[in-house]
Amino acid sequence: MKFIGTVIVCLTGGLLLYGTMDLPDWGDPGSPASTHLSDYYIEHIMEQTQVPNLVTAVLADYRGYDTMFETAVVFCAGLACFLLLRDFRPKKDRYFRHVPTGVMLHFKNPDTRMIADNEFEHMDKDWVPSDMIIKTVCRILIPFIQIYALYVVAHGDFSPGGGFQGGVIFGSSLILMAISYNLKTLVKRVTEKFLSIFAALGVLIYVGLGVGAMVMGGHFLDYGMLAPLLPSDPGHIRALGMLGVEIGVGIAVMAVMVIIYVNIVSEGRHDEGL
Amino acid sequence: MSDILSLIVAKYNFWLYIILMMIGLYAMIAKNNLMKKLVGMNIFQTAIILFYVSIGYKHGATLPIIQGGHGGHSAHDAVIRAADYINPLPHVLMLTAIVVSVATFGVAMALCVRIYQRYQTLEEDELRMRVSEKNNL
């Protein structure tokens, strides 16, 4: 297999390298990719949408239909992870830790009822105590990461950023919480229900804006038709529509990233995880 | 010889991406472990993303964000020249591709977890052996 692989790779690589001879030079302003459609976008976006960030404008407005289905793909990925891995079966062995003393209790009978008040903590077999330094640093960092994520989403029209990036940063802040404490701390604060609802809500906001434009008499995702609904000057309405779409994308991506992480690290059991 | 060298220098970005892509392709073909195959797939995707982004680059151009665009109407006075800004289209396509690749990677890892739960291995040859064992029983 290794020999066949090497031969295939060498052949394909040689063919592709031969093909580069016909490709334009690096950074050539006259290359075919940079001469037709992109010139139109660069020259007309400001007057048509008033959004200085061309990437956001193309992403959320000119190619809005495409981005909607990209968001749907992300949503479906979260759904697939949930359906493949989620395990609702109760565990046979249960472990409790007495918080003040650190003594561990092991219940072999799953029917044992235990009144777990604040002194006892339900835990997993491979539980390891997390480090004080890591916990403290992450507790200080996480709010700043989240603020930055919200900034990236909200300022995506004017500076590098947008829904996908902001959503991933926000999701990673939640994942950092799960890594530095443990998965249960995260699942207790950000429940599975919350995540599922938000993943669907993000896609719904996107589609809702598109349908809203249709109800107002325009085409699907034609944000300019939303002007009577929002208190803003009509020229700026497309930027507002894009912002709404980006918020929807950000919510969906954030929720899906956390769903994927939580399900994979705990093999769908949502207990201790990594 | 100098011909080839000047050719490489003019298009060195493509050469680098093709080498990277072939590393990923080799990992996907030759590696035995499913996780390593997935890492190879990710390297392959990264090479393609870099390839697209490098296509959008223009010499002497800046980020695809209109300068002075914050002020609303005042920005209309200045003429926007396409040569001043790099091509935004590859960036748009790759922006979504990155997130979708992360999501699909998550699904692939979920499948790996399920395979491991059932067969206790991710090595391809062992996996094939255990599948045929199960079929023979």
Side-chain angles (χ1 to χ4, degrees), chain A residues 33-55:
Chain A
S34 309
T35 42
H36 301 287
L37 189 57
S38 79
D39 285 0
Y40 175 81
Y41 282 149
I42 292 169
E43 279 157 12
H44 294 86
I45 273 177
M46 266 316 270
E47 57 184 90
Q48 285 178 350
T49 66
Q50 293 198 4
V51 171
N53 187 348
L54 303 180
V55 175

Side-chain angles (χ1 to χ4, degrees), chain A residues 69-70 72-81 84 256-257 260 264, chain B residues 35 38 41-42 45 49 96-112:
Chain A
F69 282 105
E70 301 270 12
V73 166
V74 172
F75 176 73
C76 289
L79 200 65
C81 268
L84 278 170
V256 167
M257 289 301 141
I260 290 175
I264 285 176
Chain B
M35 263 336 272
L38 278 185
M41 192 184 77
N42 239 18
Q45 283 176 333
I49 287 166
T96 49
I98 290 167
V99 176
V100 169
S101 85
V102 170
T104 49
F105 190 69
V107 176
M109 283 214 288
L111 283 169
C112 279

Side-chain angles (χ1 to χ4, degrees), chain A residues 167-168 170-171 174 194-195 198 249-259:
Chain A
V168 169
F170 203 98
L174 297 178
F194 173 90
L195 287 173
F198 266 62
V249 171
I251 290 172
V253 170
M254 180 271 290
V256 167
M257 289 301 141
V258 179
I259 288 174

Side-chain angles (χ1 to χ4, degrees), chain A residues 4-267:
Chain A
I4 303 172
T6 318
V7 170
I8 292 175
V9 163
C10 287
L11 278 178
T12 320
L15 209 63
L16 286 173
L17 287 177
Y18 179 67
T20 57
M21 296 215 289
D22 295 333
L23 287 172
D25 286 352
W26 189 53
D28 180 14
S31 70
S34 309
T35 42
H36 301 287
L37 189 57
S38 79
D39 285 0
Y40 175 81
Y41 282 149
I42 292 169
E43 279 157 12
H44 294 86
I45 273 177
M46 266 316 270
E47 57 184 90
Q48 285 178 350
T49 66
Q50 293 198 4
V51 171
N53 187 348
L54 303 180
V55 175
T56 303
V58 177
L59 180 88
D61 202 338
Y62 292 91
R63 295 182 63 88
Y65 205 58
D66 178 40
T67 312
M68 188 183 85
F69 282 105
E70 301 270 12
T71 318
V73 166
V74 172
F75 176 73
C76 289
L79 200 65
C81 268
F82 175 83
L83 292 176
L84 278 170
L85 288 176
R86 190 71 175 100
D87 187 358
F88 289 107
R89 285 171 299 179
K91 274 167 294 180
K92 279 209 188 87
D93 291 16
R94 288 186 304 159
Y95 295 83
F96 286 92
R97 189 168 63 97
H98 188 232
V99 178
T101 56
V103 176
M104 202 166 88
L105 302 176
H106 180 185
F107 289 82
K108 283 188 174 160
N109 185 358
D111 299 327
T112 318
R113 301 290 298 167
M114 170 163 173
I115 305 156
D117 53 4
N118 287 335
E119 292 206 337
F120 285 94
E121 193 178 56
H122 187 241
M123 55 180 271
D124 197 37
K125 191 174 66 208
D126 34 74
W127 176 83
V128 280
S130 40
D131 193 61
M132 163 81 84
I133 295 172
I134 295 173
K135 265 188 183 177
T136 314
V137 169
C138 290
R139 197 173 61 210
I140 295 167
L141 267 183
I142 286 169
F144 289 104
I145 297 175
Q146 289 177 342
I147 291 277
Y148 179 65
L150 294 180
Y151 160 77
V152 167
V153 173
H155 219 247
D157 292 354
F158 304 106
S159 61
F164 284 104
Q165 300 93 317
V168 169
I169 295 171
F170 203 98
S172 67
S173 79
L174 297 178
I175 291 171
L176 180 65
M177 197 202 299
I179 293 172
S180 59
Y181 286 72
N182 51 37
L183 197 62
K184 238 180 231 136
T185 319
L186 176 72
V187 172
K188 217 182 281 169
R189 283 168 177 71
V190 185
T191 58
E192 194 176 20
K193 201 175 170 186
F194 173 90
L195 287 173
S196 318
I197 289 173
F198 266 62
L201 185 72
V203 184
L204 202 67
I205 289 174
Y206 202 135
V207 180
L209 274 167
V211 173
M214 255 168 107
V215 170
M216 299 300 290
H219 295 294
F220 189 63
L221 289 172
D222 184 5
Y223 312 125
M225 304 308 278
L226 295 168
L229 298 177
L230 294 166
S232 167
D233 69 299
H236 201 59
I237 197 71
R238 299 196 83 88
L240 275 181
M242 275 182 236
L243 180 65
V245 163
E246 295 276 9
I247 288 169
V249 171
I251 290 172
V253 170
M254 180 271 290
V256 167
M257 289 301 141
V258 179
I259 288 174
I260 290 175
Y261 174 82
V262 164
N263 278 313
I264 285 176
V265 294
S266 67
E267 296 184 4

